[in-house]
Amino acid sequence: KNDISSYPQLVTPNKLHTAIYNMALDEMVNAVEPDTTLRTGKEWAGVWTRDVSYSIILSMAYLQPEASRISLMKKVDRAGKIIQDTGSGGAWPVSSDRMVWAIAAYEVYKVTGDKKWLEYIYDVIKKSIADDIEVVLSPSGLMKGETSFIDWREQSHPKWMQTVDVYGTEALGTNVVHATALDVVVKIANILGDKSGISYYGNLRDNLVKNINEKLWLDDKGYYGMYFYGRNYPIMNPRA
């Protein structure tokens, strides 16, 4: 239905493979709304932080850099902080994976090389991290909040859990999002020459990575557990 000639072309001996690739590009063009934002899905109007960020990380930063940039800007509030969409038990801090925005925003910079964009997202990311340190960082050294990526409650958290229990979980996916976002902000600080930022966010990143590796790794299983849960005496959910 759409002109896809400006996008990377794929030619293979397999007609079905080529057709599926072309259909994917066509669907991608269909997913760009009149306001140049990326539509989340058939039943979901508007821009959703988690969904659009993962799409941008996977390929949209390269294929649709301008739509990606505009979509990300829609998810910044008036205080200049990243907006957390609703999750299983509510928005931030029950769901706390909004920092995936930082990873996606840096992907856009890697494609465009836009220094003004880099300065803009640096400020947004720093403000958002400051809130997370106050509210989401657990005494254990891990970040609290609902699982990321597998974000439907039925897929990740048992029915008996109340909102406070979902908030209290220390999930692998969400912690990896935070660790990667901290790594991104260190890279931005390095590009912008902010030595204090390199040191401060570098220490936060290193401590979080250390805690992920020490506390979520299961020696007997040979993989990382899904999350810690429980109010007074947290235990590990050994699912992967």
Side-chain angles (χ1 to χ4, degrees), residues 144-156:
K144 296 185 284 189
E146 180 188 22
T147 56
S148 186
F149 206 83
I150 305 177
D151 60 307
W152 287 86
R153 181 164 181 159
E154 293 79 6
Q155 295 174 312
S156 54

Side-chain angles (χ1 to χ4, degrees), residues 136-144 170 175 178-179 182 203-216 228:
V136 179
L137 183 60
S138 166
S140 71
L142 292 169
M143 293 292 193
K144 296 185 284 189
E170 298 167 355
N175 274 274
H178 282 275
L182 287 167
N203 285 333
L204 288 173
R205 175 200 60 195
D206 294 346
N207 287 334
L208 184 54
V209 169
K210 179 173 178 284
N211 285 314
I212 290 170
N213 287 328
E214 288 182 357
K215 297 177 181 180
L216 290 168
F228 278 108

Side-chain angles (χ1 to χ4, degrees), residues 165-184:
D165 298 302
V166 176
Y167 163 69
T169 56
E170 298 167 355
L172 173 67
T174 301
N175 274 274
V176 169
V177 164
H178 282 275
T180 309
L182 287 167
D183 188 56
V184 160

Side-chain angles (χ1 to χ4, degrees), residues 119-235:
E119 292 168 352
Y120 168 74
I121 67 173
Y122 189 47
D123 189 54
V124 172
I125 297 166
K126 288 192 297 180
K127 287 178 180 177
S128 305
I129 288 173
D131 280 353
D132 285 342
I133 290 169
E134 289 292 325
V135 180
V136 179
L137 183 60
S138 166
S140 71
L142 292 169
M143 293 292 193
K144 296 185 284 189
E146 180 188 22
T147 56
S148 186
F149 206 83
I150 305 177
D151 60 307
W152 287 86
R153 181 164 181 159
E154 293 79 6
Q155 295 174 312
S156 54
H157 296 282
K159 290 182 179 179
W160 61 261
M161 278 194 177
Q162 297 179 31
T163 304
V164 67
D165 298 302
V166 176
Y167 163 69
T169 56
E170 298 167 355
L172 173 67
T174 301
N175 274 274
V176 169
V177 164
H178 282 275
T180 309
L182 287 167
D183 188 56
V184 160
V185 81
V186 171
K187 288 175 180 175
I188 297 174
N190 192 50
I191 295 168
L192 298 179
D194 181 2
K195 292 183 179 179
S196 62
I198 295 169
S199 174
Y200 177 68
Y201 296 108
N203 285 333
L204 288 173
R205 175 200 60 195
D206 294 346
N207 287 334
L208 184 54
V209 169
K210 179 173 178 284
N211 285 314
I212 290 170
N213 287 328
E214 288 182 357
K215 297 177 181 180
L216 290 168
W217 177 257
L218 303 176
D219 267 332
D220 59 327
K221 303 283 188 182
Y223 58 72
Y224 293 91
M226 192 172 185
Y227 54 72
F228 278 108
Y229 69 100
R231 297 189 188 181
N232 297 321
Y233 302 97
I235 61 173

Side-chain angles (χ1 to χ4, degrees), residues 1-9 17-33 38-39 60 63-64:
K1 295 179 182 178
N2 300 290
D3 179 10
I4 57 172
S5 61
S6 64
Y7 299 105
Q9 300 298 300
H17 190 174
T18 305
I20 289 171
Y21 176 82
N22 289 336
M23 185 173 72
L25 288 180
D26 196 58
E27 289 293 321
M28 176 194 70
V29 176
N30 288 340
V32 178
E33 299 280 35
L38 295 166
R39 187 177 179 88
M60 288 301 104
L63 291 167
Q64 295 279 6

